[in-house]
Amino acid sequence: MTRRVTRLEPEAWRGRESKGQGPHFPAAHEIVFPYFEKGMSAEAAGDLDSWNRPEDQMWNLMIRAYVSQRSGHPQQARRDLAKLLELHRRRPLDPSPIIFTYLALGEKDEAFRWLEKGYRQHSTALRILKVEPFYDPLRSDPRFQELLHRVRLD
């Protein structure tokens, strides 16, 4: 199985900026994941503070919820989720950041509920079901296997 690499050294992620994917490219901020794996939570939080473009707000909130949950601040993670859901209520968004936020909070049933919405909306979240590490907690669930089958990724 091919997987997105999240275990790179932070320096490898920073190198992406020199390839035309500057600090305003949303994927550049996935550096928070290797930062966390190395125990560098202050650096992860600092990276998020530098990323404040309004058009990236949904992704920023998702990653902030992840950072908060992993840092032992579940109340802040819930506040970020509430903001994300409010954004979605005002202007329907792709459900990907909501799915990932529920997964970060460990709420599998809600993640599945939003995955079903994503399936109906042909969300981009479904393209990476088989390889995205965020989905790891769902892989053993029969609902996940059935969804893989429906999107023809089994």
Side-chain angles (χ1 to χ4, degrees):
M1 169 186 344
T2 306
R3 297 174 61 90
R4 183 186 74 184
V5 178
T6 58
R7 286 154 182 79
L8 291 175
E9 293 295 315
E11 296 75 26
W13 282 91
R14 279 291 171 227
R16 298 173 96 181
E17 292 178 9
S18 66
K19 294 181 175 91
Q21 298 175 347
H24 299 298
F25 184 68
H29 296 281
E30 290 181 2
I31 192 171
V32 299
F33 303 116
Y35 274 156
F36 262 103
E37 290 181 17
K38 291 189 72 158
M40 302 167 71
S41 57
E43 290 84 349
D47 184 78
L48 286 174
D49 289 341
S50 72
W51 183 33
N52 56 10
R53 293 184 341 155
E55 60 269 30
D56 296 331
Q57 186 177 14
M58 64 184 189
W59 294 105
N60 186 290
L61 286 168
M62 181 275 291
I63 295 174
R64 283 185 182 281
Y66 174 87
V67 168
S68 296
Q69 184 71 18
R70 292 284 306 264
S71 300
H73 299 95
Q75 297 85 0
Q76 181 58 50
R78 295 247 170 242
R79 286 191 290 273
D80 291 333
L81 172 61
K83 290 177 188 175
L84 190 54
L85 292 171
E86 179 56 32
L87 273 177
H88 182 74
R89 274 190 283 280
R90 282 189 270 141
R91 187 189 69 187
L93 311 164
D94 183 274
S96 300
I98 296 170
I99 294 164
F100 294 150
T101 302
Y102 277 119
L103 287 170
L105 295 171
E107 295 190 22
K108 293 178 184 179
D109 289 335
E110 282 298 313
F112 274 115
R113 191 168 75 80
W114 283 89
L115 275 167
E116 286 300 324
K117 287 182 182 191
Y119 178 77
R120 290 190 302 275
Q121 296 173 7
H122 304 283
S123 168
T124 59
L126 302 178
R127 294 183 311 184
I128 57 174
L129 281 174
K130 198 166 185 172
V131 297
E132 173 59 56
F134 261 104
Y135 293 123
D136 286 353
L138 304 180
R139 294 192 193 286
S140 62
D141 191 300
R143 295 174 290 181
F144 188 79
Q145 298 306 314
E146 192 272 330
L147 182 59
L148 281 176
H149 179 72
R150 282 191 282 150
V151 297
R152 298 188 175 143
L153 291 174
D154 57 350

